[in-house]
């Protein structure tokens, strides 16, 4: 009758309030192993009206079977917080086309894979309002979504209006993350000064800065070079933007974020060298997070060299999947040891006829791959089944860490009293074979085709309702809701504030020496980089000064 608490301490069953007598929706998940990021326990979970009411043994008094109670047997199964996919692009108008997984089918597919929340991106064109883009994306998503969702907003240009709108989005619209593109030159790309401004603004308003880290100028030059060499096929995509192009931009973003002590989130980390940059920054004490995606963890870029053009084209995304076949394992190891933190899918799918826009020129192939449905299974197979991580780390990287970084925790990302009942009953022993023939997505190709994965979501519960069970959906468009997020997430901003405090104290208590000397002597450009430098006190120079002529 005892319930192991978060730190393993025995506790009585936790319950928020006596069950109301009025008509209610009641669900009991019985006999499973409840897995959170910090503990696993044999426990029942009682859900009422979309919220977890109790976790423990005998959560209902003996003989108490209230009317309307539905019991799900989870014996031998794991009971997990629903997945949070930090990165999707449903019905995204992009590269002359529009991604085919819309908010309806895309979120249904998410549920089938055990994901109960997606985070999509509202992306304005240069010169356009961020708030208008946000409203547009909401008008697409709100009536269509089958699971809960949030929106990141992209900053694709800079002005006083953008600066003001970032504040409004954060204070009034539930946005606490902004993505800046360092690639897609002339379309979405911003320059270093704009990154500096945007990062500074994120810091002021308590948001997290996200970057698509690739050097857009080098991407453009690389593409010209490949086309000039007669390489027009999908292999040219990777050849034109190799690892160094991603790693350089990642380091530049880390450096700029560090200059203003803004928390940074690197989306779709695709290469070993970019992942190492993130890992090094974290070891230097910087508040930086890296997000590998299902594609990068589950497959590789050797497919770009496939003889069949369409097969190769379906693997084109940016930054590219890497041809080094040891990359997925490497990224998974870093994810297991916390060098990398969250996982998304970057689900941005195009059918074959859309990919064919680039049949004679790889730069015209719409960028994007699938992953929203298969992310959880891929990570279970390659992460847990392979022995790299345990089930708690699985929950951390598929759900909890995202909830903490984006300020949704513990409403999302945890099974505990008061949390949203977004829950997956997961069979770790069952297997399924991934295929475009059987997946629930709109797209006609699957980059994981034929892969056999252990770890199958047998029941998915969203907002306390069984929405997917044994292959059958019980969900309608609009059942999901927009989830607003508050700024200054404790998980990231506590450390930022602490660092700011320390550096301001350090710079104010230095005597005549001047702060620069302490920067020079510090071992690395870590937190000291943000110290406010003070001038060296010295006698004014009284000697001769040459006079400049206009020519000089
Ligand atoms: O290829 C990709 N990643 N397509 C979606 C847009 C982006 O850069 O995330
Ligand atoms: Zn991107
Ligand atoms: Zn292939
Ligand atoms: Zn993306």
């Amino acid at each position: 009758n005892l319930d192991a608490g978060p730190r393993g301490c025995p506790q009585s069953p936790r319950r928020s309030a006596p069950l109301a007598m009025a008509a209610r929706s009641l669900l009991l998940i019985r006999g499973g192993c409840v897995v959170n990021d910090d503990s696993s326990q044999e426990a029942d979970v009682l859900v009422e009206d979309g919220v977890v009411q109790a976790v423990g043994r005998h959560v209902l008094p003996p003989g108490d079977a209230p009317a309307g109670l539905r019991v799900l047997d989870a014996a031998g199964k794991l009971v997990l917080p629903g997945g949070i996919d930090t990165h999707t692009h449903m019905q995204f108008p992009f590269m002359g086309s529009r991604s085919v997984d819309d908010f309806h089918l895309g979120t249904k597919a998410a549920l089938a894979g055990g994901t109960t929340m997606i985070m999509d991106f509202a992306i304005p064109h240069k010169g356009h309002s961020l708030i208008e883009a946000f409203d547009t994306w909401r008008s697409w998503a709100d009536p269509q979504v089958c699971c809960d969702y949030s929106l990141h907003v992209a900053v694709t240009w800079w002005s006083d209006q953008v600066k003001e709108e970032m504040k409004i989005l954060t204070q009034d619209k539930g946005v606490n993350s902004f993505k800046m593109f360092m690639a897609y030159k002339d379309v979405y790309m911003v320059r270093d000064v704009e990154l500096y401004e945007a990062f500074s603004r994120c810091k002021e308003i308590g948001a997290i800065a996200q970057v698509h880290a690739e050097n857009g100028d080098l991407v453009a030059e690389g593409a010209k070079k490949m086309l000039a060499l007669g390489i027009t096929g999908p292999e040219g995509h990777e050849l034109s933007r190799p690892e160094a192009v991603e790693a350089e931009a990642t380091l530049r973003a880390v450096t700029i974020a560090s200059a203003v002590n803004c928390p940074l989130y690197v989306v779709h980390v695709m290469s070993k060298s970019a992942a190492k940059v993130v890992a090094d920054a974290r070891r230097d004490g910087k508040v930086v997070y890296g997000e590998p995606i299902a594609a990068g963890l589950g497959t590789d870029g050797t497919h770009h060299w496939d003889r069949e053009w369409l097969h190769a084209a379906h693997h084109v995304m940016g930054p590219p999947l890497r041809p080094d076949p040891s990359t997925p394992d490497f990224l998974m190891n870093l994810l297991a040891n916390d060098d990398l933190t969250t996982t998304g899918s970057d689900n941005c799918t195009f059918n074959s006829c859309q990919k064919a826009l680039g049949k004679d020129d790889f730069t015209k192939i719409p960028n994007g791959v699938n992953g929203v449905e298969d992310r959880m299974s891929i990570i279970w197979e390659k992460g847990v089944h392979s022995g790299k991580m345990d089930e708690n780390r699985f929950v951390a990287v598929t759900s909890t860490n995202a909830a903490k970084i984006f300020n949704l925790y513990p409403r999302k990302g945890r099974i505990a009293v008061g949390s949203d009942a977004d829950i997956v009953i997961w069979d770790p022993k069952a297997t399924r074979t991934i295929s475009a023939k059987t997946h629930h997505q709109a797209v006609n190709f699957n980059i994981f085709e034929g892969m056999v994965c252990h770890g199958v979501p047998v029941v998915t519960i969203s907002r306390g309702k069984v929405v997917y069970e044994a292959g059958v959906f019980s969900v309608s468009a609009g059942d999901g809701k927009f989830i607003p997020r508050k700024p200054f997430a404790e998980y990231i901003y506590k450390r930022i504030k602490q660092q700011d405090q320390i550096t301001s104290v350090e710079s104010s208590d230095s005597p005549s020496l001047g702060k620069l000397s302490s920067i020079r002597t510090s071992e690395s450009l870590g937190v000291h980089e943000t110290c406010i430098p003070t001038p060296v006190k010295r006698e004014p120079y009284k000697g001769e000064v040459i006079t400049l002529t206009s020519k000089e």
Side-chain angles (χ1 to χ4, degrees):
N1 193 17
L2 291 179
D3 166 17
R7 300 273 169 255
C9 321
Q11 297 171 347
S12 319
R14 305 236 221 125
R15 187 140 155 186
S16 58
L19 299 177
M21 292 311 287
R24 59 212 173 160
S25 139
L26 270 179
L27 196 63
L28 178 64
I29 306 165
R30 187 180 272 159
C33 177
V34 175
V35 182
N36 279 311
D37 66 321
D38 54 1
S39 63
S40 308
Q41 56 173 130
E42 301 297 324
D44 301 338
V45 180
L46 183 66
V47 171
E48 185 182 14
D49 293 337
V51 175
V52 175
Q53 286 288 334
V55 181
R57 290 282 169 81
H58 311 299
V59 292
L60 283 177
D64 186 2
L69 175 73
R70 173 154 187 211
V71 180
L72 294 168
D73 176 21
K77 312 281 194 307
L78 304 179
V79 180
L80 313 175
I84 299 174
D85 187 333
T86 50
H87 189 151
T88 67
H89 303 275
M90 303 304 174
Q91 60 193 79
F92 178 30
F94 187 48
M95 294 184 74
S97 206
R98 184 185 277 270
S99 59
V100 285
D101 281 311
D102 59 15
F103 279 102
H104 182 226
L105 288 182
T107 52
K108 257 179 111 167
L111 291 169
T115 289
T116 52
M117 178 167 179
I118 63 162
M119 307 185 76
D120 210 271
F121 292 82
I123 306 181
H125 286 291
K126 281 185 187 292
H128 288 246
S129 158
L130 276 61
I131 293 174
E132 266 172 34
F134 173 85
D135 290 340
T136 301
W137 258 261
R138 282 213 56 182
S139 75
W140 293 339
D142 282 350
Q144 292 296 321
V145 282
C146 294
C147 71
D148 285 354
Y149 82 104
S150 264
L151 289 173
H152 313 290
V153 174
V155 173
T156 54
W157 60 296
W158 192 252
S159 70
D160 286 345
Q161 181 195 332
V162 171
K163 190 173 174 184
E164 183 56 23
E165 289 194 344
M166 286 173 77
K167 186 161 112 190
I168 295 167
L169 284 163
T170 305
Q171 291 183 346
D172 305 338
K173 306 269 185 181
V175 175
N176 66 17
S177 44
F178 293 90
K179 177 177 178 182
M180 278 61 74
F181 290 91
M182 299 169 80
Y184 305 120
K185 192 175 176 181
D186 302 327
V187 184
Y188 297 135
M189 184 172 111
V190 287
R191 303 263 168 204
D192 289 3
V193 277
E194 296 166 312
L195 286 175
Y196 188 93
E197 294 282 7
F199 289 3
S200 303
R201 188 55 163 170
C202 282
K203 167 89 180 282
E204 282 165 8
I205 60 181
I208 186 162
Q210 302 175 289
V211 282
H212 172 130
E214 281 187 293
N215 183 319
D217 285 317
L218 288 184
V219 169
E221 295 308 315
K224 279 189 230 161
K225 195 161 134 189
M226 290 309 137
L227 291 171
L229 287 170
I231 300 172
T232 59
E235 68 280 13
H237 176 71
E238 205 282 334
L239 293 170
S240 64
R241 50 212 292 175
E243 289 207 12
V245 171
E246 185 187 356
E248 181 277 330
T250 307
L251 181 57
R252 189 154 37 96
V254 165
T255 308
I256 297 170
S258 183
V260 297
N261 199 24
C262 170
L264 181 69
Y265 182 99
V266 184
V267 305
H268 47 43
V269 176
M270 299 300 289
S271 63
K272 287 176 163 185
S273 40
K276 283 182 200 163
V277 171
V278 172
D280 283 348
R282 288 171 66 79
R283 274 160 216 193
D284 280 348
K286 289 168 183 157
V287 183
V288 174
Y289 305 97
E291 169 207 79
I293 62 168
L297 295 164
T299 185
D300 63 52
T302 55
H303 296 275
H304 296 132
W305 279 263
D306 197 278
R307 292 274 172 183
E308 193 201 325
W309 183 89
L310 208 46
H311 180 93
H314 269 295
H315 289 81
V316 168
M317 64 157 295
L321 287 160
R322 300 303 173 185
D324 173 351
S326 64
T327 306
D329 255 2
F330 183 90
L331 294 175
M332 189 61 85
N333 285 333
L334 267 61
L335 186 63
N337 73 12
D338 206 32
D339 281 327
L340 299 171
T341 310
T342 58
T343 55
S345 64
D346 200 2
N347 196 89
C348 184
T349 50
F350 297 97
N351 277 336
S352 303
C353 54
Q354 296 170 295
K355 288 279 183 184
L357 286 168
K359 67 184 174 54
D360 303 314
D361 176 352
F362 65 84
T363 66
K364 299 194 166 69
I365 301 171
N367 285 201
V369 297
N370 63 287
V372 74
E373 181 166 351
D374 300 321
R375 180 182 64 109
M376 301 278 279
S377 290
I378 291 289
I379 297 167
W380 188 273
E381 177 67 23
K382 306 273 183 183
V384 185
H385 190 72
S386 73
K388 292 185 192 295
M389 60 175 77
D390 60 23
E391 79 270 16
N392 306 102
R393 182 68 191 162
F394 175 79
V395 167
V397 302
T398 55
S399 181
T400 313
N401 291 350
K404 289 179 178 173
I405 291 170
F406 296 111
N407 219 3
L408 296 160
Y409 187 82
R411 175 177 181 188
K412 304 286 187 191
R414 187 163 192 89
I415 298 178
V417 173
S419 298
D420 281 1
D422 288 353
I423 296 171
V424 186
I425 303 180
W426 187 263
D427 188 341
K429 296 203 180 83
T431 58
R432 72 184 181 95
T433 304
I434 297 176
S435 175
K437 293 191 186 76
T438 49
H439 71 200
H440 300 88
Q441 301 197 218
V443 67
N444 69 350
F445 189 90
N446 192 312
I447 56 167
F448 309 115
E449 186 72 34
M451 207 177 279
V452 179
C453 287
H454 293 79
V456 173
V458 283
V459 180
T460 307
I461 297 157
S462 165
R463 309 180 70 84
K465 245 186 75 190
V466 174
V467 287
Y468 178 82
E469 186 175 11
V472 180
F473 290 100
S474 320
V475 70
S476 305
D479 282 357
K481 295 286 169 277
F482 174 77
I483 306 293
R485 297 175 286 126
K486 291 204 168 76
F488 293 107
E490 270 213 347
Y491 185 68
I492 49 183
Y493 267 92
K494 250 168 129 171
R495 208 141 60 90
I496 291 282
K497 283 178 187 162
Q498 183 71 9
Q499 290 179 352
D500 281 348
Q501 230 172 34
I502 286 165
T503 51
S504 67
V505 169
E506 277 185 8
S507 58
S508 65
D509 67 12
S510 84
S512 61
L513 195 57
K515 203 63 213 167
L516 202 56
S517 52
S518 101
I519 296 174
R520 286 214 175 115
T521 54
S522 73
E523 251 182 81
S524 67
L525 288 177
V527 291
H528 289 284
E529 216 176 349
T530 54
C531 287
I532 301 158
T534 52
V536 177
K537 285 187 185 131
R538 46 168 90 86
E539 289 301 309
Y541 174 77
K542 291 194 179 113
E544 203 183 336
V545 183
I546 62 157
T547 309
L548 295 177
T549 65
S550 56
K551 273 192 188 149
E552 283 167 307

